[in-house]
């Protein structure tokens, strides 16, 4: 007697991020986290070594960057390549999927940056009330 395959192995099921057990929900959480967004958008600029990416994503700790990169690699968003040099270097790049996601995230980043004055005004008004 065989056991039924887990739901995420059924190709006929559609992803629904609003469903509690949908596999896309934790991926959305990883991608949409502060460090996930910043790392993915930074990697749109090209390949980065760990220390250079940490400088680019100002304020992230080594540990948090390491965790973020591992999670994004697991989710298929980034590629980690060990360069055969002395000493060995690791370089991070976006996968095709990661590039598509990063493109969408950059649109959000640009929208927020270009509307920061309106956002600040709304925040000031909120705190006055």
């Amino acid at each position: 007697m065989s056991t039924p395959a887990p739901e995420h192995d059924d190709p006929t099921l559609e992803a629904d991020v609003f469903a509690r057990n949908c596999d896309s929900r934790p991926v959305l959480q990883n991608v949409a986290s502060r460090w996930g967004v910043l790392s993915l958008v930074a990697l749109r600029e090209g390949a980065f070594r760990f220390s250079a990416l940490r400088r680019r994503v100002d304020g992230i700790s080594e540990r948090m960057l390491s965790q973020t990169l591992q999670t994004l690699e697991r989710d298929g968003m980034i590629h980690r390549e060990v360069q055969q040099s002395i000493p060995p270097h690791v370089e991070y790049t976006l996968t095709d999927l990661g590039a598509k996601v990063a493109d969408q995230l950059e649109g959000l980043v640009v929208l927020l940056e270009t509307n920061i004055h309106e956002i600040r005004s709304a925040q000031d008004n909120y705190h006055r009330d």
Side-chain angles (χ1 to χ4, degrees):
M1 184 161 137
S2 66
T3 58
E7 286 183 18
H8 66 269
D9 289 340
D10 185 348
T12 63
L13 295 178
E14 290 188 30
D16 179 3
V17 76
F18 293 100
R20 178 183 319 161
N21 296 322
C22 183
D23 292 339
S24 64
R25 189 179 277 193
V27 177
L28 176 64
Q29 184 175 348
N30 297 336
V31 165
S33 71
R34 169 180 34 177
W35 303 123
V37 169
L38 294 174
S39 297
L40 287 166
V41 174
L43 285 167
R44 286 186 80 251
E45 299 169 10
F48 276 88
R49 288 182 31 200
F50 185 89
S51 57
L53 185 57
R54 183 163 177 237
R55 284 190 300 275
R56 181 69 179 111
V57 182
D58 190 28
I60 192 169
S61 69
E62 255 185 62
R63 181 173 181 238
M64 185 54 66
L65 180 57
S66 179
Q67 288 176 347
T68 299
L69 292 172
Q70 287 174 1
T71 300
L72 293 173
E73 181 182 12
R74 184 201 64 215
D75 290 343
M77 303 293 156
I78 63 169
H79 175 72
R80 178 182 184 272
E81 183 177 337
V82 178
Q83 305 285 316
Q84 296 305 319
S85 60
I86 299 175
H89 296 119
V90 178
E91 206 170 67
Y92 296 90
T93 56
L94 293 172
T95 62
D96 289 341
L97 176 59
K100 291 176 192 174
V101 170
D103 287 346
Q104 298 297 313
L105 292 172
E106 185 187 34
L108 175 61
V109 168
V110 169
L111 178 66
L112 294 173
E113 288 175 338
T114 58
N115 289 283
I116 193 63
H117 297 297
E118 185 176 340
I119 293 166
R120 286 183 184 145
S121 176
Q123 291 169 340
D124 290 344
N125 290 336
Y126 179 85
H127 291 297
R128 271 190 229 125
D129 295 341

